[in-house]
Amino acid sequence: MPNRRPSDLETPVAGGGLLHRRALLGGTIAAAGALSAAQAQDPIGLGSPLTMTRPGAGFSGYGAPAEWAQGIRRLTPPASARPGTGSSRTPLEALEGVITPSGLHFERHHNGVPAIDAAKHELLIHGLVKRPLSFDLDSLRRYPMVSAMRFIECAGNSGGLTGETIAPTATAASLHGLVSNSEWTGVPLSILLEEAGVDPSARWLLAEGADAAGMSRSVPLWKAMDDAVVALFQNGEPIRPEQGFPMRLLLPGFQGNANVKWLRRLKVTREATYTRDETSRYSLLMADGTTRVFPLELGVKSLILKPSPGLTLRGPGVYEISGIAWSGAGRIRAVEVSADGGRSWAKAALDGPAAAKALTRFRMPWRWDGSPLTLLSRAIDETGARQPTRTAWKAQFAPGQSYNYNAINAWAVDQAGLLRGVHAT
Ligand SMILES: Nc1nc2c(c(=O)[nH]1)N[C@H]1C(S)=C(S)[C@@H](COP(=O)(O)O)O[C@H]1N2
Ligand SMILES: [Mo]
């Protein structure tokens, strides 16, 4: 490149070749092909692409991804005798930015997606209230709404990493694909509860779904009055059937399972109900033999997606490392990246503005010299909480406890540029 002064931006800021956050703005990648003079001067018609020589396709009532992108699919489970029980995963490493396209939002169903007739569906608020109320979809749509970017993450996400071995074929999606991020729009639950008139003795709610699993979770009243929403829209359109159409409970930052889909009833109660869904699962067995019940708020977490297994590096050179960070407690304050197995760290740039309890994209320029190394990321949220090492995370819990896993993740890069998941710390 002519007339380029080597600058401070190209001096590594940490081991393994991490570069200054602004290094890529200097044009150091050189992955683009050079332009020939003939290419630039060709008149339209002669060397122009075929698409310029005939009219394009017509309009469509609902758009679909480009054919080129149609391989970007949720990771669905193998066929089973109970086809609607289990989960599909978001192909995280195939996506950019932070919005999960609605058709790629992960799915977790305990007994399939119910076919709900929206014209007949009602949400009942009952229990310790002055006036039990029932809302159909039309009446709910008349209430004031709020929109916010929020992640939903299954409490079981990444839990496989508590085990000793990581499958050599594991990818970001297969290990961590039970997290997705949407703009959710709906009615603040506090408005509906105030209208029903909550009894001063009430402390909890029981949220019930209209699916065959009848999934039910207890929700602390403070959360219901804080930022909980009865969500009706996902990324601007009515919520998808898989995500709870016609309405779901959205509890920002809480374990995915408490975000009850196909929401049918909310019962205001004095105590938590201890339903099957919250006693058989989603509690934490601690190292000292006790059980932590209702560990609803998810911790701070991050994940490098580019590069990650399946996205092989094409030889030494400059790359952008990027990934996602999130916290159930609020905004991401900072993400640090290491390219030398955790010996040294450098601060990544964050795409902004970072929304609270939503995925945040981080980016870090990197010059890979072709030698094997280990990439790690660690996030800090606005409360000052830091992602723990795997060893520190595991020390809190009884063996086998794998819910709410948020430890630091690592990818090993080999000489051929292939990546795989490893336990680094
Ligand atoms: N009614 C109902 N709500 C539900 C579930 C369910 O099976 N039934 N699964 C829960 C679990 S375990 C998770 S992680 C989230 C997943 O939400 P998603 O499928 O929209 O990604 O929904 C929760 N809400
Ligand atoms: Mo879940």
Side-chain angles (χ1 to χ4, degrees), residues 4-291:
R4 263 192 69 250
R5 280 180 291 115
S7 73
D8 290 349
L9 297 184
E10 290 170 53
T11 315
V13 293
L18 295 182
L19 301 177
H20 189 277
R21 273 183 278 171
R22 298 213 312 278
L24 292 190
L25 304 179
T28 44
I29 296 226
L35 199 71
S36 74
Q39 265 179 314
Q41 278 160 20
D42 229 7
I44 290 178
L46 287 179
S48 54
L50 219 55
T51 49
M52 295 179 76
T53 65
R54 60 177 76 138
F59 305 95
S60 55
Y62 198 104
E67 214 173 298
W68 186 81
Q70 280 176 13
I72 303 176
R73 291 276 189 238
R74 287 192 279 234
L75 271 62
T76 49
S80 86
R82 297 190 302 154
T85 305
S87 37
S88 68
R89 288 152 194 269
T90 296
L92 294 169
E93 64 272 27
L95 304 176
E96 250 300 343
V98 290
I99 294 173
T100 309
S102 300
L104 297 175
H105 196 287
F106 83 94
E107 307 161 276
R108 170 78 178 101
H109 318 311
H110 290 72
N111 203 354
V113 180
I116 292 180
D117 179 352
K120 296 203 181 113
H121 183 84
E122 292 198 347
L123 168 64
L124 176 70
I125 298 186
H126 66 132
L128 294 175
V129 292
K130 282 202 195 74
R131 284 174 299 280
L133 296 174
S134 155
F135 305 86
D136 62 17
L137 189 54
D138 282 343
S139 59
L140 267 183
R141 282 186 172 209
R142 288 177 48 195
Y143 282 81
M145 299 202 200
V146 290
S147 288
M149 295 282 290
R150 306 291 193 192
F151 74 82
I152 293 181
E153 183 181 24
C154 181
N157 196 27
S158 322
L161 290 164
T162 57
E164 287 319 302
T165 55
I166 304 177
T169 52
T171 60
S174 72
L175 294 169
H176 306 283
L178 299 179
V179 63
S180 300
N181 193 61
S182 301
E183 186 201 61
W184 298 97
T185 303
V187 182
L189 181 51
S190 59
I191 295 182
L192 305 179
L193 289 173
E194 268 153 29
E195 186 165 328
V198 173
D199 189 274
S201 69
R203 292 288 174 274
W204 288 82
L205 297 181
L206 177 67
E208 254 182 276
D211 53 334
M215 237 217 52
S216 308
R217 289 298 318 261
S218 301
V219 179
L221 188 61
W222 69 261
K223 182 65 173 179
M225 299 309 256
D226 182 18
D227 57 1
V229 165
V230 176
L232 306 175
F233 296 88
Q234 172 186 4
N235 296 329
E237 62 183 356
I239 287 191
R240 296 271 169 114
E242 307 95 290
Q243 264 68 58
F245 179 82
M247 57 191 72
R248 89 177 297 162
L249 185 59
L250 190 77
L251 301 174
F254 271 25
Q255 288 177 321
N257 48 86
N259 293 257
V260 173
K261 301 190 280 190
W262 315 295
L263 184 64
R264 173 171 173 257
R265 294 197 294 207
L266 288 167
K267 183 180 185 184
V268 180
T269 61
R270 205 156 287 152
E271 309 285 345
T273 305
Y274 292 92
T275 67
R276 174 199 59 193
D277 297 304
E278 58 203 16
T279 51
S280 66
R281 293 193 179 95
Y282 308 127
S283 300
L284 307 182
L285 303 177
M286 308 304 289
D288 64 5
T290 60
T291 300

